[in-house]
Amino acid sequence: MPKFLLTSFDTWQPHQKSNSSDDLLARISQIKSWPYSLTFLRKLPVDAEQAAILAIAKINELQPDTIICGGMAESRQKLTVESCACCDNNILQTAVNLADLIADLPTIKISNDAGKFVCESLYYAVLKHLADSQLSTKCIFVHVPILTAENTDQILADFSLVIRRLARDETNK
C-alpha cells in the first residue's frame, strides 16, 4: 500500500480565515475509501525553518513513498503543480513527470515559480533532504487557489486523481 505524506500551511495574514491548502486536505481526509495510507501534516507554521524541521522529521519517521506539499496561492485560479524550487542560485526539480501527472485535468497547470516565500523554501528543503538522503521518495508541491462554491468540487476531484495517479506510478515500480 503506497504511503503518502500530505502537508498544508496555516494562515499568515489577518484577513485569512483559513488556508486553502489546509481546507483541501481537510476535505481529502474526510474521504474514507482511500486504498492508500494517507498521513496529514496540517497547518505547518508559516516559518521557513520551522516548517522544514517539522516536515523533514515527519518524512524521517513515516518514510513515505510520495509527498504532496501544499500551499495557498490567493491570486491563482487553478491548482498549480510546481516544477522546481530555488534557493540562492540552486534549483531543484521534482522527479515526477508533471505533464503526465496532470494530463486531462482541467483545474491544474504546471508552474515554474513556487513563489519565493515559505512554500518554495519548504519545497526546496524537502527536495534537498530527499536528494541528500538518496531517497527514492517522490515529491510535488501544489499551490491551491481560494476554494469557492464554484471550484471546490472540481479541484477536489482533480487533486484526488493526482493522488491516484501518483499511487498508480508507485505500485507499477
Side-chain angles (χ1 to χ4, degrees):
M1 174 187 307
K3 290 191 295 186
F4 283 80
L5 174 63
L6 297 96
T7 74
S8 66
F9 280 103
D10 203 349
T11 59
W12 71 95
Q13 296 286 337
H15 72 274
Q16 297 167 338
K17 292 181 177 33
S18 63
N19 185 305
S20 57
S21 68
D22 191 61
D23 297 340
L24 182 58
L25 291 194
R27 298 287 297 270
I28 291 292
S29 72
Q30 293 170 353
I31 300 171
K32 301 300 181 202
S33 60
W34 290 110
Y36 325 115
S37 170
L38 303 182
T39 300
F40 298 90
L41 182 58
R42 295 180 50 198
K43 296 188 178 184
L44 286 170
V46 183
D47 175 288
E49 186 177 340
Q50 285 302 309
I53 289 169
L54 292 168
I56 290 169
K58 185 56 90 174
I59 291 165
N60 290 339
E61 171 195 332
L62 183 64
Q63 298 183 359
D65 301 300
T66 305
I67 302 162
I68 303 176
C69 297
M72 179 164 66
E74 289 180 294
S75 63
R76 297 184 187 180
Q77 302 304 310
K78 294 184 172 198
L79 285 171
T80 49
V81 182
E82 303 299 338
S83 65
C84 61
C86 306
C87 181
D88 300 322
N89 291 325
N90 298 320
I91 300 173
L92 297 177
Q93 302 274 342
T94 180
V96 175
N97 182 325
L98 298 181
D100 287 349
L101 180 66
I102 68 164
D104 304 323
L105 299 180
T107 66
I108 306 179
K109 66 179 188 172
I110 297 170
S111 166
N112 300 310
D113 182 359
K116 308 296 180 246
F117 189 46
V118 69
C119 293
E120 182 161 50
S121 178
L122 175 64
Y123 195 24
Y124 185 88
V126 170
L127 290 173
K128 185 169 182 352
H129 174 71
L130 296 176
D132 290 350
S133 302
Q134 298 180 337
L135 298 173
S136 62
T137 305
K138 294 180 294 198
C139 178
I140 62 171
F141 193 103
V142 178
H143 270 113
V144 182
I146 300 297
L147 299 178
T148 66
E150 294 78 31
N151 71 8
T152 298
D153 289 345
Q154 189 64 54
I155 286 174
L156 183 62
D158 285 353
F159 189 79
S160 296
L161 274 172
V162 164
I163 294 172
R164 287 183 178 90
R165 288 177 180 181
L166 288 166
R168 177 196 64 211
D169 291 349
E170 192 58 41
T171 55
N172 289 337
K173 277 187 175 177

